[in-house]
Amino acid sequence: MLDINFFNPQEPILEFLGTSKSVYAKRFSSPKQALKASEQGLTCHLITEPKRVRLESKSFEGKASMIAVLGGSIALNQEAVSSKKIGLLLDPVGSERLSVDKQVLELASRNNVSIGVFFSGLLKAKGFERAMLFKNLLMLARLCKNKRVPLHVFSGARDWRELRPVRDLTGLQVLLGFKPEQASLFARQARELLGGK
Amino acid sequence: MSEKKGLKPLPLSLRGKKRYLTIGFLSDKPFSKRELEKAFWENYLELFGSHGAAKARIHLKEYSRTENQAIVRCSLQELENVKASVPFLREVSGKPVVPAILRVSGSVKKAGGKKKPKPRRKAGKV
């Protein structure tokens, strides 16, 4: 099963977790740097600015194993789902105001953009912040179900303490309203994201 | 009338079905069974509240410090919620842990619990 993290975990830890592939996600400064990092393992280039979505999706194509947009704002989410070269929109919602709507998910469905959520965000949040994040995630899951957009859950870990088995993370999808069979199907389908478009 | 000594055991049909989860832990510091049970309950309470925790009927059956594995019993109806709550466990009495569900089964034996000693054969019998 595929997981996305912000560091490269050691092999014994991945074996314990049952994760076959871990993708190292980073905002690489240049395509050359991404290519160099790809030699050591799977990489994911993160785009964090709305203006750079089109430019970087072209320049990093084939240099990193996958290209994703680290969302959060309305403009960034809108730009990510409008591009046909982007395969994955990560963390489109935070604990503040909801930054996705029906239109965004409709565009994602049309352009085959999957949605990814990092579990580490929920793990770090506590009390009211966690409740708000859950509220936004529930709305996102409802929209994803309605528009038939796959919703993946990844660890998004910055150190070994935040790593979780991907098959256990399907429990979160069940909490968000997906059926257990559907959740495990999304976990298996996550591998296809590596193929790109 | 003589005083009632104890309660009658609850019939099997009223006990409700249960499942056993075998959970493995990755941790750099050891912790006790009591600490783990407290952390597990607190984590579940934070996620689902007291009503949810009561319905789940969570019970830490066994914990092996050498294997770093625990067997948790819960209600079958709340199994999905219990499974979803496991990754939310971050630390046990301040020690960071990474939990992973290894197995879900309907009996302790299959979950990998302690095996009961076999009854001794009676002398003279083969």
Side-chain angles (χ1 to χ4, degrees):
Chain A
M1 287 186 179
L2 182 93
D3 198 7
I4 301 178
N5 295 303
F6 293 99
F7 78 112
N8 268 327
Q10 289 171 339
E11 204 58 47
I13 299 177
L14 287 178
E15 207 173 295
F16 168 77
L17 299 171
T19 308
S20 53
K21 283 175 182 177
S22 174
V23 180
Y24 172 47
K26 194 190 171 186
R27 195 186 178 284
F28 293 103
S29 53
S30 67
K32 211 175 173 181
Q33 198 195 13
L35 196 67
K36 204 177 170 186
S38 297
E39 285 167 10
Q40 290 167 354
L42 297 166
T43 52
C44 172
H45 173 62
L46 297 174
I47 304 171
T48 51
E49 287 170 52
K51 286 176 190 170
R52 300 189 68 87
V53 172
R54 274 162 210 268
L55 183 80
E56 288 188 15
S57 60
K58 268 184 192 174
S59 60
F60 280 88
E61 203 179 2
K63 305 289 187 288
S65 314
M66 62 196 281
I67 302 166
V69 172
L70 190 63
S73 67
I74 301 167
L76 195 52
N77 292 344
Q78 186 83 34
E79 198 63 45
V81 293
S82 309
S83 169
K84 289 198 173 184
K85 296 214 170 185
I86 300 293
L88 185 64
L89 170 61
L90 289 164
D91 258 353
V93 293
S95 57
E96 286 152 20
R97 283 193 71 178
L98 191 68
S99 45
V100 288
D101 58 2
K102 205 174 156 185
Q103 248 184 344
V104 170
L105 268 295
E106 208 167 276
L107 268 171
S109 172
R110 209 179 297 157
N111 293 330
N112 284 332
V113 180
S114 301
I115 306 289
V117 172
F118 284 138
F119 186 74
S120 60
L122 267 171
L123 208 59
K124 280 179 211 158
K126 275 185 181 174
F128 180 71
E129 197 189 343
R130 187 186 268 186
M132 292 308 281
L133 189 53
F134 251 122
K135 182 210 84 177
N136 288 343
L137 285 174
L138 280 164
M139 186 47 92
L140 176 73
R142 199 186 290 177
L143 287 167
C144 283
K145 263 169 87 176
N146 190 255
K147 298 290 166 197
R148 292 170 189 239
V149 176
L151 180 82
H152 305 285
V153 182
F154 303 110
S155 293
R158 286 180 196 276
D159 62 15
W160 69 272
R161 293 175 195 92
E162 289 173 4
L163 284 168
R164 293 292 179 271
V166 181
R167 63 166 190 275
D168 290 1
L169 295 181
T170 54
L172 178 66
Q173 284 154 309
V174 176
L175 274 190
L176 295 176
F178 289 97
K179 285 179 186 168
E181 305 86 48
Q182 216 172 359
S184 47
L185 183 74
F186 287 152
R188 271 181 270 131
Q189 280 177 344
R191 245 168 208 254
E192 292 166 20
L193 294 167
L194 278 173
K197 287 191 178 180
Chain B
M1 241 174 102
S2 63
E3 221 173 273
K4 208 174 179 182
K5 277 184 181 173
L7 292 169
K8 266 190 173 182
L10 206 64
L12 278 170
S13 57
L14 292 178
R15 283 182 212 175
K17 289 197 173 185
K18 47 194 175 280
R19 285 292 176 268
Y20 296 90
L21 281 97
T22 313
I23 305 168
F25 296 94
L26 200 69
S27 173
D28 48 1
K29 286 171 191 167
F31 46 84
S32 68
K33 185 184 172 185
R34 205 185 166 90
E35 285 172 332
L36 178 65
E37 191 166 23
K38 195 183 169 208
F40 206 88
W41 265 94
E42 277 173 2
N43 175 50
Y44 200 86
L45 271 168
E46 198 186 340
L47 258 181
F48 298 102
S50 44
H51 180 240
K55 276 207 299 187
R57 297 168 66 209
I58 296 165
H59 173 69
L60 183 65
K61 190 95 181 144
E62 275 173 32
Y63 171 62
S64 157
R65 219 185 262 202
T66 48
E67 288 173 43
N68 248 348
Q69 277 184 20
I71 296 173
V72 176
R73 189 184 68 200
C74 72
S75 153
L76 171 64
Q77 283 154 339
E78 298 295 313
L79 177 67
E80 288 303 326
N81 285 349
V82 176
K83 275 166 80 179
S85 77
V86 172
F88 282 93
L89 194 67
R90 273 188 92 179
E91 50 186 32
V92 176
S93 62
K95 296 149 197 163
V97 289
V98 176
I101 302 170
L102 306 175
R103 195 180 180 137
V104 179
S105 84
S107 67
V108 204
K109 206 175 170 184
K110 273 189 181 175
K114 280 176 194 165
K115 284 170 193 165
K116 284 178 187 172
K118 280 183 184 175
R120 279 186 188 177
R121 281 179 189 159
K122 281 180 185 173
K125 279 193 177 180
V126 183

